Amino acid sequence: MIVKGPFFNQKKAAEYCGYSISTFVRKIRKYEIPLVGPDRNRFAQSLLDLWMEEPDFFNRQEKVRKRKFKKVLV
């Protein structure tokens, strides 16, 4: 995966992808798009392009919750 700029803040990334900021935030919660930069708060254009072309590449793996059962002494 090649990471190239320009680099966008969240608002500019939403505009670049053609979404409103609220829609963009809702969508990126479903995907693991790497954040870049010293503070890890920027989106790389190359990664946004890949996400728009192949969203399944960034699918967030659902964590399987294990149920804990209490032992009952009889």
Side-chain angles (χ1 to χ4, degrees), residues 25-54:
V25 168
R26 231 180 12 252
K27 291 198 175 290
I28 63 173
R29 284 185 187 144
K30 298 179 185 177
Y31 299 94
E32 290 187 49
I33 303 170
L35 294 171
V36 297
D39 296 327
R40 300 280 184 233
N41 64 350
R42 297 289 186 249
F43 293 91
Q45 181 178 339
S46 60
L47 295 175
L48 291 173
D49 290 338
L50 181 59
W51 176 59
M52 294 296 285
E53 292 172 14
E54 297 289 335

Side-chain angles (χ1 to χ4, degrees), residues 46-71:
S46 60
L47 295 175
L48 291 173
D49 290 338
L50 181 59
W51 176 59
M52 294 296 285
E53 292 172 14
E54 297 289 335
D56 290 337
F57 183 79
F58 296 98
N59 262 347
R60 186 177 296 273
Q61 296 295 323
E62 294 296 324
K63 293 182 180 179
V64 178
R65 298 178 84 194
K66 292 183 179 179
R67 296 182 76 183
K68 292 185 179 181
F69 295 96
K70 293 182 180 178
K71 292 183 180 180

